[in-house]
C-alpha cells in the first residue's frame, strides 16, 4: 500500500552539534514530493559547530526543510515543540535522528505502516555501523546479543506488534493526547512514552521494511556517558510505571555488583574473589579477538572492551536512579506526602 499524500507528515529531527552526520541524514530521509506531503523541522538545541550553516544551506534549496531553535535543548523537548508548531494539516509525526542513514522509502513506509497496521506508533529496527576503528568496534558490540541482550529492534526482525522499538512515526493526535514525551526525565523518553501508550490501549508496530543504519558514539568515554544515561533512564521508567526489569536489564546490574563484591572480598579471601569478574572480562575480550580474526578487521578486537563499558556504565546509571528513587520515596513517606 502506498502512502497517502493527503496524510500530511511532519518530520522532526532533534539536533545538537551534528555537523558530521546531519547532511547525510537529511539527504537519505527526504521523500519524493509526489509520494507523501511533508515538512522537515530541524529542532536545534544550540549547536556551536557548523550544524546550523549546513542546515541553512539545505533550507535554501528546499523550502520543505526548516531550521528552528529549541530553547529547551533536549530531544524530548524537540519532539514536543515540533508537535505543537508543525503545519496545522499534520496528521503524522515522524521522529528522525541525525546519527543515522535512512533506507529509500523510509517515510513512505512508516506512513503506510501506521495506517495499514491500525497502530498508534510505528517503530523500526536499527543496525549500528562505524566509520572510525573505535566506532566500528562499538557498532559490532551494539549489534551483538552480548551488547544488546537480544533486543528485538537491534537488527533485522520480523514485522509485528511489540512493546518497544526505535521510534519512527506517531499518530499526532495520540501523541499530543498523551502529553508527548516526558521532559522531566532527560533520558529513556522513548520507552517511557511507549509504557504510557500501552497503558492507554495504543499499539506499537515494528515495520521490518525500514532498517536504519545508526552511527554510534566514536569514543569510549562518550559511549560510557551514553550508556550511563540509558541505564538511569530505564530505571526511572521502570520505577515510574511499576514495571519489572527484563533479564537483559538485570544481567548488567549483576555483573557490576559482582565487581563490587569481588573488590570488597579480595582483602579477606585473596585472589579467588577476583575469579568471577576476571572470567567475565576474559569472555568479553576473547569474543572481541574472535571477531577480529573472523572478519579480518583488527579494530574489532576492541568490541569486547566496548561491551564491558556498555554493561558497567548502564548498570551504574541504573543503580544510581534506583537508589535515588528509593531515597525520594523515603523522604515523601517521612514528610507524610505518600
Amino acid at each position: 500500500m502506498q502512502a497517502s499524500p493527503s496524510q500530511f507528515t511532519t518530520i522532526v529531527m532533534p539536533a545538537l552539534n551534528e555537523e558530521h552526520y546531519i547532511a547525510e541524514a537529511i539527504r537519505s530521509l527526504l521523500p519524493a514530493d509526489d509520494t507523501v506531503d511533508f515538512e522537515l523541522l530541524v529542532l536545534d538545541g544550540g549547536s556551536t559547530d557548523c550544524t546550523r550553516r549546513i542546515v541553512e544551506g539545505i533550507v535554501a534549496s528546499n523550502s520543505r526543510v526548516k531550521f528552528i531553535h529549541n530553547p529547551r535543548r533536549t530531544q524530548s523537548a524537540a519532539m514536543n515543540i515540533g508537535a505543537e508548531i508543525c503545519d496545522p494539516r499534520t496528521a503524522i509525526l515522524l521522529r528522525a535522528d541525525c546519527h543515522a542513514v535512512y533506507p529509500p522509502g523510509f517515510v513512505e513506509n512508516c506512513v503506510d505502516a501506521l495506517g495499514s497496521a491500525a497502530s498508534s506508533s510505528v517503530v523500526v529496527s536499527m543496525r549500528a555501523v562505524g566509520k572510525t576503528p573505535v566506532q566500528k568496534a562499538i557498532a559490532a558490540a551494539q549489534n551483538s546479543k552480548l551488547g544488546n541482550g537480544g533486543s528485538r529492534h537491534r537488527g533485522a526482525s520480523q514485522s509485528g506488534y511489540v512493546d518497544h522499538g526505535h521510534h519512527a512515526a506517531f499518530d499526532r493526535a495520540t501523541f499530543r493526547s498523551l502529553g508527548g514525551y516526558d521532559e522531566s526525565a532527560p533520558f529513556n523518553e522513548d520507552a517511557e512514552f511507549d509504557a504510557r501508550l500501552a497503558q492507554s490501549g495504543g499499539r506499537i508496530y515494528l515495520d521490518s521494511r525500514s532498517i536504519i543504519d545508526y552511527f554510534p558514539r566514536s569514543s569510549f568515554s562518550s559511549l560510557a556517558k551514553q550508556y550511563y544515561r540509558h541505564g538511569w533512564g530505564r530505571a526511572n521508567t521502570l520505577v515510574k510505571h511499576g514495571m519489572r526489569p527484563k533479564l537483559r536489564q538485570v544481567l548488567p546490574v549483576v555483573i557490576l555488583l559482582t565487581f563490587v563484591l569481588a573488590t570488597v572480598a579480595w582483602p579477606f579471601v585473596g585472589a579467588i574473589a577476583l575469579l568471577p569478574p576476571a572470567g567475565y572480562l576474559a569472555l568479553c575480550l576473547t569474543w572481541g579477538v574472535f571477531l577480529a580474526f573472523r572478519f579480518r578487521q583488527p579494530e574489532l578486537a576492541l568490541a569486547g572492551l566496548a561491551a564491558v563499558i556498555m554493561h558497567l556504565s548502564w548498570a551504574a546509571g541504573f543503580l544510581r536512579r534506583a537508589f535515588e528513587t528509593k531515597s525520594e520515596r523515603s523522604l515523601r513517606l517521612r514528610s507524610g506526602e505518600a
Side-chain angles (χ1 to χ4, degrees):
M1 183 187 298
Q2 194 173 26
S4 171
S6 63
Q7 292 181 295
F8 192 91
T9 300
T10 293
I11 305 166
V12 180
M13 179 177 279
L16 180 64
N17 294 329
E18 298 289 358
E19 63 181 2
H20 299 298
Y21 300 100
I22 195 165
E24 186 177 13
I26 292 176
R27 278 196 298 268
S28 65
L29 183 64
L30 291 176
D33 288 349
D34 59 349
T35 58
V36 60
D37 205 2
F38 75 98
E39 64 178 352
L40 192 157
L41 309 181
V42 177
L43 272 294
D44 184 78
S47 295
T48 57
D49 62 1
C50 295
T51 297
R52 178 165 189 159
R53 180 176 59 80
I54 292 170
V55 176
E56 288 179 341
I58 297 173
V59 170
S61 60
N62 191 329
S63 61
R64 291 182 181 269
V65 181
K66 301 175 178 65
F67 183 90
I68 298 168
H69 177 57
N70 171 14
R72 303 199 294 272
R73 297 178 63 85
T74 66
Q75 294 186 65
S76 299
M79 280 300 300
N80 292 344
I81 293 171
E84 293 296 324
I85 68 171
C86 61
D87 191 294
R89 296 173 293 166
T90 301
I92 297 170
L93 291 173
L94 193 146
R95 170 177 170 167
D97 295 323
C98 295
H99 268 247
V101 173
Y102 297 85
F106 179 81
V107 175
E108 295 91 329
N109 286 344
C110 288
V111 171
D112 171 43
L114 196 64
S116 61
S119 60
S120 302
S121 172
V122 169
V123 297
V124 296
S125 297
M126 60 190 297
R127 59 187 164 223
V129 296
K131 295 181 178 180
T132 67
V134 171
Q135 195 176 49
K136 289 179 181 179
I138 292 172
Q142 292 182 338
N143 288 334
S144 70
K145 287 187 177 181
L146 181 64
N148 63 45
S151 180
R152 184 170 173 181
H153 70 278
R154 284 284 189 170
S157 183
Q158 291 185 340
S159 295
Y161 295 99
V162 295
D163 59 359
H164 178 54
H166 185 74
H167 277 187
F170 308 91
D171 174 76
R172 182 193 177 204
T174 301
F175 184 82
R176 296 183 70 190
S177 71
L178 293 175
Y181 283 150
D182 179 7
E183 295 184 42
S184 68
F187 318 118
N188 203 231
E189 73 282 349
D190 50 356
E192 194 283 326
F193 178 84
D194 286 344
R196 282 185 284 127
L197 180 61
Q199 290 168 5
S200 72
R203 297 201 295 177
I204 303 166
Y205 184 77
L206 173 65
D207 183 10
S208 64
R209 295 173 298 177
S210 301
I211 302 176
I212 70 172
D213 287 337
Y214 165 76
F215 296 104
R217 298 297 186 267
S218 56
S219 70
F220 290 131
S221 60
S222 59
L223 178 69
K225 292 177 183 177
Q226 180 189 33
Y227 271 76
Y228 179 88
R229 293 167 179 168
H230 285 342
W232 189 100
R234 176 56 68 175
N236 186 73
T237 296
L238 292 176
V239 171
K240 177 178 178 180
H241 295 285
M243 302 164 64
R244 291 185 178 180
K246 297 179 180 179
L247 179 61
R248 68 171 181 265
Q249 296 160 350
V250 172
L251 288 177
V253 175
V254 172
I255 292 169
L256 178 58
L257 292 178
T258 299
F259 271 81
V260 173
L261 291 174
T263 302
V264 172
W266 178 37
F268 302 98
V269 301
I272 193 172
L274 303 180
L275 288 179
Y280 161 76
L281 290 174
L283 173 66
C284 291
L285 297 179
T286 301
W287 170 77
V289 173
F290 168 76
L291 288 183
F293 277 101
R294 180 183 179 185
F295 295 103
R296 298 182 181 180
Q297 298 182 49
E299 62 271 22
L300 296 188
L302 295 173
L305 176 59
V308 171
I309 292 171
M310 290 158 58
H311 294 160
L312 298 184
S313 300
W314 193 97
F318 186 95
L319 287 174
R320 177 179 176 179
R321 185 54 184 158
F323 286 127
E324 285 176 348
T325 53
K326 184 176 181 180
S327 299
E328 291 166 1
R329 185 175 299 172
S330 297
L331 288 173
R332 288 197 299 269
L333 287 171
R334 290 174 189 170
S335 63
E337 294 180 10

